[in-house]
């Protein structure tokens, strides 16, 4: 499958635990974006990364959330000490370049439920 | 604050009719415009993109862009029940900036 791969598809965590969401971009894509979608809401930008660099994290909460895209391996979105309000669908998208004309291709998402 | 506005709907059209979905954006420097379709519980999938003023056609879909009015629309001809989904408008400024999404318009095509 050459598409954007996200895992796990579903993740259940208790309040206070850590959640790790993984994303492997499409082959040939070096730009990764993370979005969050609450029920009945639109997609909210969180963070934009290239290999080993965070380009824009303006949409990411300052506390408990972090993201990385190492030289080798998938991009990771990490949420520490999860709270019920973190329950949402988290989508990763990738593009081949950062130009304005590169559409984003989305993975199937990770649905996080905090109990 | 860059914003993208869409009517949340639902927009109901009969099968075979033309569905017209509209979107306005606040950032006058926006350069690229995208329409995504999202079925309930699924991920967004790209339908069309448009960069220049005017119309762009792809099968039953036509995207229309008017940069002066900061307005972009999507027309779906011969609407089918399988077109029933939420349609997301997304706008990009340039270079290394993220796509900004509207909240989406829910379309219901009635057989």
């Amino acid at each position: 499958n050459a598409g954007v791969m996200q895992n796990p598809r579903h993740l259940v965590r208790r309040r206070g635990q850590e959640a790790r969401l993984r994303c492997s971009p499409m082959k040939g894509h070096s730009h990764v974006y993370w979005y969050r979608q609450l029920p009945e809401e639109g997609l909210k930008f969180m963070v934009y990364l290239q290999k080993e660099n965070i380009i824009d994290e303006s949409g990411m909460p300052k506390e408990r959330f972090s993201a990385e895209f190492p030289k080798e391996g998938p991009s990771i979105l990490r949420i520490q000490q999860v709270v019920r309000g973190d329950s949402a669908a988290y989508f990763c998208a990738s593009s081949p370049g950062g130009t304005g004309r590169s559409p984003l291709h989305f993975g199937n998402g990770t649905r996080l439920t905090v109990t | 604050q860059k914003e993208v506005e869409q009517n949340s709907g639902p927009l109901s059209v009969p099968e075979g009719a033309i569905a017209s979905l509209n979107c306005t954006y606040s950032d006058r420097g926006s350069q690229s415009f995208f329409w995504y379709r999202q079925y309930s519980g699924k991920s967004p999938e790209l339908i069309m993109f448009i960069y220049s003023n005017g119309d762009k056609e792809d099968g039953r879909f036509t995207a229309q862009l008017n940069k002066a009015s900061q307005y972009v629309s999507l027309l779906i001809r011969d609407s089918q029940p399988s077109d029933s989904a939420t349609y997301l408008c997304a706008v990009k400024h340039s270079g290394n900036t993220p796509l900004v999404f509207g909240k989406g318009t829910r379309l219901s095509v009635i057989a």
Side-chain angles (χ1 to χ4, degrees):
Chain A
N1 187 340
V4 179
M5 301 299 293
Q6 286 188 252
N7 67 80
R9 291 291 301 274
H10 300 275
L11 182 61
V12 179
R13 285 287 178 267
R14 292 198 194 95
R15 278 180 299 169
Q17 291 185 318
E18 178 180 289
R20 280 187 179 234
L21 289 63
R22 295 175 194 79
C23 169
S24 295
M26 282 181 73
K27 190 173 183 180
H29 288 192
S30 58
H31 297 248
V32 166
Y33 304 77
W34 286 93
Y35 285 80
R36 177 165 64 177
Q37 188 173 40
L38 293 167
E40 305 302 320
E41 292 286 324
L43 288 158
K44 295 294 186 187
F45 167 74
M46 298 182 74
V47 62
Y48 163 32
L49 310 103
Q50 294 179 32
K51 284 284 186 182
E52 300 185 279
N53 285 308
I54 296 176
I55 306 302
D56 182 348
E57 56 182 346
S58 60
M60 201 146 72
K62 294 287 186 285
E63 297 181 356
R64 301 188 299 108
F65 286 73
S66 62
E68 62 175 5
F69 190 14
K71 187 176 179 181
E72 301 291 336
S75 175
I76 305 287
L77 179 67
R78 183 180 175 209
I79 312 172
Q80 295 178 290
Q81 299 173 348
V82 296
V83 301
R84 288 221 172 101
D86 297 331
S87 296
Y90 292 82
F91 289 100
C92 170
S94 72
S95 73
T99 66
R101 299 195 169 194
S102 299
L104 301 188
H105 299 269
F106 283 85
N108 287 328
T110 293
R111 277 137 186 93
L112 173 66
T113 302
V114 180
T115 62
Chain B
Q1 180 75 13
K2 301 182 178 72
E3 293 185 349
V4 178
E5 299 288 339
Q6 294 181 257
N7 188 324
S8 62
L11 172 67
S12 294
V13 300
E15 184 175 359
I18 295 175
S20 177
L21 303 156
N22 305 314
C23 171
T24 58
Y25 58 95
S26 63
D27 183 5
R28 193 167 279 280
S30 298
Q31 296 186 2
S32 306
F33 307 87
F34 305 84
W35 283 99
Y36 285 81
R37 176 175 62 196
Q38 186 175 27
Y39 293 109
S40 181
K42 302 295 185 182
S43 62
E45 56 178 319
L46 180 68
I47 298 176
M48 289 194 71
F49 52 87
I50 186 167
Y51 310 130
S52 305
N53 278 328
D55 295 1
K56 179 183 178 183
E57 188 174 317
D58 183 1
R60 295 188 296 115
F61 298 97
T62 298
Q64 300 174 317
L65 175 61
N66 184 327
K67 288 186 178 180
S69 301
Q70 295 176 240
Y71 176 93
V72 59
S73 66
L74 179 71
L75 301 178
I76 307 175
R77 288 182 298 281
D78 188 24
S79 295
Q80 301 297 310
S82 59
D83 294 326
S84 297
T86 297
Y87 289 80
L88 303 170
C89 173
V91 173
K92 188 168 186 176
H93 186 82
S94 65
N96 290 341
T97 57
L99 275 184
V100 179
F101 283 83
K103 290 188 176 181
T105 297
R106 200 161 78 242
L107 172 67
S108 178
V109 180
I110 311 299

